[in-house]
Amino acid sequence: MKVLSVVGARPNFVKIAPLLREMATRPQIESVLVHTGQHYDARMSDGFFEALAIPAPDYNLAVGSASHGRQTAEVMTRLEPVLESVQPDIVLVVGDVNSTLAAALVAVKQGIRVGHVEAGLRSFDRSMPEEINRLATDAIADDLFASEESAVLNLAREGVPAERVHFVGNVMIDALRLTRPLWQASRVFGNLGLDQIPRYGAVTLHRPANVDDPRRLSQILGALHEVARRVPLIFPVHPRVRTALTGADVTWLSASQPVPERGIVCTEPLGYLDFVALVSRAAVVLTDSGGIQEETTILGVPCLTLRENTERPATVTQGTNRVIGIARSRIVDAAIYALAHPPARRAAPPLWDGYAAARIIDTLLGVRVEVAA
Ligand code: UD1
C-alpha cells in the first residue's frame, strides 16, 4: 500500500511524526511524504523535522505565505502533478490547516482515498479558518480518524456513516509520549535563565481573531500584564504576531540579561522539545492554540484558553483546560485561581495512550478491531 502523507504547518509535523514512525515498521507500506511549504522558517519547520526525527520530505511544494484562497490554490496546483506521478493508494492529511483541506480536495478529485487524522472536531465557530477546513475536509474524506469522543458524535450528527469513522485516539499525545526522554533532557531552562526562577507561566497567541485586531491584542496584553505582576510569563512569539508587538510593553529575552522576575518575556519561537519542556514545568499556560490544550491535559498543567470556544471539549471535561475568553477580569481571575490551585492528577481521555498511530495504520491495512466511542 502506497501512503502519501501531506504536511504544511507546525502542528502537522507533530501529528505526522508518530504515523511515519509506525509506517516505517510495516513492510506492507510504502510511505511518501509531501511538505507543502506553508510554514518554511527554520524555527517553524526544519527544527520540527529534526526534533521529531521526521525524514526529509520526498516533495516540497514551497507554497509559502499568502492569502487563504491563494495559499490553498497553490497547494492544489502544485500537489496535483505529484499525485498523478506517485499514484498513491491513500492520501493521509492531518489537522485543520489550509494545506489539509487543499490536499484532501486534490486527492478526492483524482479518485484517491483520503484519510483525515483528527477528524470531527468542531468549535461551531465558522469565523475560524480552521473550522471551515475541518468541515470541508471531513465532508470529502473517506476514512475519518477521531481523537476524542465528541468528534465521533459530531460526525454522527452530520450524517457520516459510522463505518467511515474510526475512534483511534490522539496522535499528538503519541508524539508527546514518544519524545518524553528528549524533552525531559531539554536545556531550555538554562538557556532561557529559567532555572533561577521559582515559578513562571507560558503564553502562546496566534489566532487571527486575537492577534490581527490591535484592540483585542492590546486587551489581552493588558490582562497578561496583570498576571505577570505575580509570575513572569514566557511568550515564544509566532511570526504572525511579531510586528503587532512592536512598541508593546514586553521584554525580549537576550542572552546577556537574566529573566526578569515579573513581566511578559518574549522569545523567538521555540523548537518542539524546548516548548514541551517549557510547558511541562509551567505553573499556568495561557493560549489560543488547539494542540496545547491537549498537551497540557496530559502534562497536568493548568491551561486557560483565550477563546470563546474549543473544538477539543475532552480537554475541559477530562483535562486541565478552562475556556475563558479574553475579558481582562476573567483572564486575571482565572490565572490567579490556577496559580493557587494546581489541578489534581486525572486519568487521560480515552485512547490518549500513545498508540493512536498504530490504530490508524492498522485500520488502513484492514487489521483493526473497532473500539466503541
Ligand atoms: C497556521 C494555521 C493554523 C495553525 C498555525 C500553527 C491555517 C489557516 N492556519 O496559522 O491553523 O494553528 O498555522 O502555527 O492554515 N510566517 C512566517 N514564517 C513561517 C510561516 C508563517 O513568517 O514559516 C508568517 C507569515 O507572515 C504568514 C503568517 O506567519 O503570513 C501566517 O502564516 P500562515 O501559515 O498563513 O498561518 P498561521 O497563522 O501560521
Side-chain angles (χ1 to χ4, degrees):
M1 177 182 274
K2 208 186 258 189
V3 181
L4 183 143
S5 311
V6 181
V7 291
R10 199 164 54 168
N12 291 171
F13 310 140
V14 182
K15 289 165 198 167
I16 211 67
L19 286 159
L20 293 173
R21 195 182 150 112
E22 187 64 34
M23 284 192 265
T25 68
R26 312 289 183 113
Q28 313 94 307
I29 291 188
E30 181 187 342
S31 167
V32 178
L33 180 62
V34 175
H35 185 345
T36 66
Q38 177 173 345
H39 283 177
Y40 44 85
D41 282 350
R43 287 174 192 272
M44 304 290 286
S45 178
D46 291 3
F48 279 69
F49 274 67
E50 206 176 302
L52 290 153
I54 302 173
D58 300 288
Y59 298 86
N60 191 325
L61 308 180
V63 298
S65 301
S67 66
H68 286 259
R70 182 174 285 274
Q71 188 174 59
T72 308
E74 282 297 336
V75 174
M76 292 180 70
T77 308
R78 297 182 193 198
L79 183 61
E80 191 164 56
V82 174
L83 296 190
E84 272 161 11
S85 118
V86 174
Q87 305 241 323
D89 297 296
I90 182 156
V91 167
L92 215 47
V93 297
V94 295
D96 54 15
V97 305
N98 288 343
S99 299
T100 309
L101 170 60
L105 267 169
V106 181
V108 286
K109 281 179 181 273
Q110 286 191 28
I112 302 168
R113 181 178 163 199
V114 172
H116 182 206
V117 175
E118 208 183 78
L121 297 180
R122 298 287 180 268
S123 66
F124 304 101
D125 173 1
R126 287 189 178 222
S127 70
M128 285 179 78
E130 295 80 6
E131 183 73 353
I132 304 301
N133 292 342
R134 288 188 283 259
L135 282 162
T137 304
D138 288 341
I140 56 176
D142 301 281
D143 291 295
L144 298 144
F145 297 106
S147 56
E148 62 167 83
E149 288 150 311
S150 75
V152 178
L153 295 175
N154 292 335
L155 293 168
R157 204 179 307 120
E158 289 169 18
V160 179
E163 59 272 19
R164 283 175 35 206
V165 180
H166 313 283
F167 180 39
V168 291
N170 191 330
V171 285
M172 203 145 199
I173 304 309
D174 290 12
L176 190 72
R177 291 186 190 274
L178 272 170
T179 56
R180 184 180 291 271
L182 300 175
W183 53 259
Q184 283 181 332
S186 160
R187 292 209 284 263
V188 71
F189 305 102
N191 292 347
L192 296 185
L194 286 173
D195 38 9
Q196 311 299 326
I197 299 285
R199 235 161 48 130
Y200 64 86
V203 170
T204 79
L205 290 173
H206 76 284
R207 294 273 158 224
N210 281 343
V211 302
D212 289 0
D213 173 354
R215 272 185 319 128
R216 284 175 73 91
L217 181 60
S218 116
Q219 179 180 330
I220 294 170
L221 289 175
L224 295 181
H225 267 297
E226 194 74 25
V227 178
R229 285 166 52 188
R230 292 165 175 84
V231 284
L233 293 179
I234 313 302
F235 179 7
V237 175
H238 185 287
R240 180 179 199 107
V241 196
R242 204 183 170 107
T243 325
L245 287 178
T246 311
D249 181 14
V250 297
T251 307
W252 279 88
L253 203 62
S254 79
S256 54
Q257 276 181 333
V259 174
E261 288 191 11
R262 304 282 177 268
I264 302 175
V265 184
C266 294
T267 72
E268 296 299 326
L270 295 176
Y272 175 71
L273 301 173
D274 286 348
F275 183 74
V276 172
L278 179 80
V279 166
S280 71
R281 291 199 209 164
V284 63
V285 171
L286 299 105
T287 186
D288 58 12
S289 151
I292 296 168
Q293 298 170 42
E294 301 183 333
E295 289 163 342
T296 46
T297 278
I298 295 302
L299 295 168
V301 173
C303 177
L304 304 176
T305 295
L306 307 185
R307 288 171 41 191
E308 303 300 334
N309 51 55
T310 180
E311 61 287 339
R312 294 164 159 86
T315 61
V316 176
T317 55
Q318 298 165 73
T320 58
N321 187 21
R322 290 182 61 201
V323 180
I324 61 166
I326 63 158
R328 185 185 177 111
S329 59
R330 282 211 74 195
I331 296 178
V332 176
D333 291 352
I336 292 172
Y337 183 88
L339 289 169
H341 302 88
R345 274 221 92 74
R346 300 170 74 165
L351 305 187
W352 291 22
D353 57 0
Y355 299 101
R359 292 187 195 100
I360 291 168
I361 304 306
D362 281 351
T363 306
L364 293 185
L365 292 171
V367 295
R368 191 172 107 81
V369 179
E370 284 294 319
V371 180

